[in-house]
Amino acid sequence: MLSESYRVLEQLRLPHGLYVASPSNDYKYVWIRDCVYMALPYLDKPTKEYEHTYYRLLDLFREYEWKLDILCKQKPQWEWEYLHARYSYEDVREIHEEWGHIQHDMIGAFLFGMGQGAERGKKMLRDKKDREIVQKLVYYICNVEYWHDADNGMWEEWREVHASSVGACVAGLKAVDRMVHVPDEAIQAGLQTLMRLFPRESHDKPADLAQLSLVYPYRVFTGVLGETIVRNVEKRLLRERGVIRYEGDSYYSTLEQEYGRGNPLSFYYGTEAEWTFGLPWLALCHRELGNMPEAADYVRRTEAVMLEPGKLPELYYSGTAEPNPNTPLGWSCAMYILAKEALKDSARALRGLA
């Protein structure tokens, strides 16, 4: 299952180094966030896939440096003014249609990934220009005041201040503070917002799948705080074949086709789609918290919902074994790889201590 999951990632990796989210027609795009997560399995590998992904993302930011220069000096007023979250897969260009591009977490995720690579001795900066781009990204999220600038969040929906977005920026800023100048007050402002929101994701959402990122990979919350986040997600959002994103989520819900017909139905709890990457994500969080039996159980549950070895769909319709068309989803495969390999590493470490 592990080798097949890597094969999925290899098939989704494009010649320029970035990843298409899924081979489905709806997801044949490049998302910055997806690329960050899909590159993570290569972080500790001696190969160059990890660096190549970040070099192409740096090239992307170079191409839109003119936009970044404006954003470092003045706050954007419209969604299209922000750095875009989604690009064409062939030439990695902005797509000119309305989209929830205000996603501070994707910039935090990119900075975090840069810092993680550098920490492991990878050459993340090719030249002076790369360093300048990283510095401008830091100034950009500080200038928009990410700690209270409502964004579209990980799920690209309505604007709120999201704990998962704020936490990503905090982790990203901390990760690059040896690379470039990072204002300490910007980190402190983010931490204050996180504690005000805790344990909620936002004003509207008491729990959200995206909050797991605060435990893994960002490790913003550890110990009792991390345990509180994970248990809250499990209590409210865990289902048989995955984790719903949040209560009342309408995306690929079992009522979605009724909305498509124009029926004036309200959102109902129990109709939300079950996202498969929630299971390995919980495994990774439990490993971070030292709950190894639970981590192992979530890896087994992930393997049980694969359509075939290594092939995980984005989600299953609520309470069914019917996947949606976004299959396989690269992000899901990457999370499974990370969880499976993390457990193997832990098992080896325990044998070494015996």
Side-chain angles (χ1 to χ4, degrees), residues 7-250:
R7 189 167 288 111
V8 169
L9 290 187
E10 290 161 7
Q11 291 171 346
L12 296 176
R13 188 187 306 118
L14 299 164
H16 49 58
L18 300 184
Y19 296 85
V20 64
S22 173
S24 72
N25 290 330
D26 288 345
Y27 274 21
K28 215 165 185 182
Y29 300 100
V30 165
W31 272 271
I32 291 175
R33 182 190 306 100
D34 287 60
C35 289
V36 167
Y37 277 94
M38 290 168 73
L40 273 177
Y42 302 97
L43 176 59
D44 292 312
K45 300 290 189 297
T47 54
K48 296 295 184 181
E49 289 91 347
Y50 190 83
E51 294 97 311
H52 288 166
T53 295
Y54 280 85
Y55 293 162
R56 186 60 186 89
L57 288 172
L58 284 164
D59 288 343
L60 161 63
F61 293 129
R62 286 189 188 209
E63 290 172 35
Y64 291 97
E65 187 177 9
W66 62 270
K67 191 173 189 177
L68 192 52
D69 286 336
I70 296 172
L71 294 169
C72 287
K73 297 175 183 177
Q74 63 187 53
K75 292 185 179 181
Q77 301 297 314
W78 306 98
E79 284 191 350
W80 59 266
E81 293 180 277
Y82 286 81
L83 289 177
H84 282 205
R86 185 183 69 151
Y87 298 82
S88 61
Y89 74 93
E90 306 99 328
D91 53 1
V92 197
R93 306 297 297 175
E94 287 186 350
I95 299 165
H96 299 293
E97 65 176 272
E98 287 191 21
W99 200 260
H101 287 302
I102 309 173
Q103 299 176 35
H104 301 323
D105 79 288
M106 72 174 182
I107 303 301
F110 171 81
L111 295 175
F112 178 79
M114 288 289 296
Q116 288 289 290
E119 186 178 299
R120 284 159 173 79
K122 293 183 179 293
K123 184 182 178 182
M124 301 304 294
L125 299 173
R126 296 165 295 181
D127 53 29
K128 181 180 177 181
K129 174 56 69 175
D130 280 352
R131 191 180 303 276
E132 289 176 1
I133 292 295
V134 173
Q135 183 67 76
K136 289 179 181 182
L137 288 169
V138 168
Y139 288 153
Y140 161 52
I141 58 173
C142 292
N143 185 53
V144 299
E145 299 178 346
Y146 75 89
W147 52 90
H148 64 198
D149 184 50
D151 77 338
N152 298 114
M154 190 176 284
W155 314 132
E156 307 180 327
E157 296 187 331
W158 67 94
R159 290 184 67 177
E160 287 189 279
V161 176
H162 295 91
S164 56
S165 293
V166 174
C169 291
V170 167
L173 291 174
K174 286 183 174 181
V176 297
D177 67 352
R178 293 184 181 181
M179 240 182 236
V180 296
H181 170 64
V182 176
D184 183 65
E185 58 271 20
I187 295 175
Q188 294 306 314
L191 290 171
Q192 290 169 12
T193 296
L194 285 173
M195 294 316 299
R196 282 197 299 270
L197 285 171
F198 187 85
R200 300 180 67 90
E201 161 71 348
S202 65
H203 178 271
D204 287 351
K205 299 172 184 174
D208 193 299
L209 171 56
Q211 287 179 278
L212 295 183
S213 65
L214 301 173
V215 180
Y216 180 90
Y218 300 135
R219 301 178 180 91
V220 175
F221 289 140
T222 59
V224 174
L225 296 180
E227 190 87 28
T228 300
I229 292 293
V230 171
R231 297 303 181 189
N232 198 32
V233 167
E234 288 176 321
K235 178 182 177 181
R236 305 185 75 120
L237 309 180
L238 179 60
R239 301 293 186 267
E240 182 181 356
R241 293 178 178 83
V243 180
I244 66 172
R245 299 191 300 181
Y246 55 88
E247 293 163 306
D249 182 12
S250 65

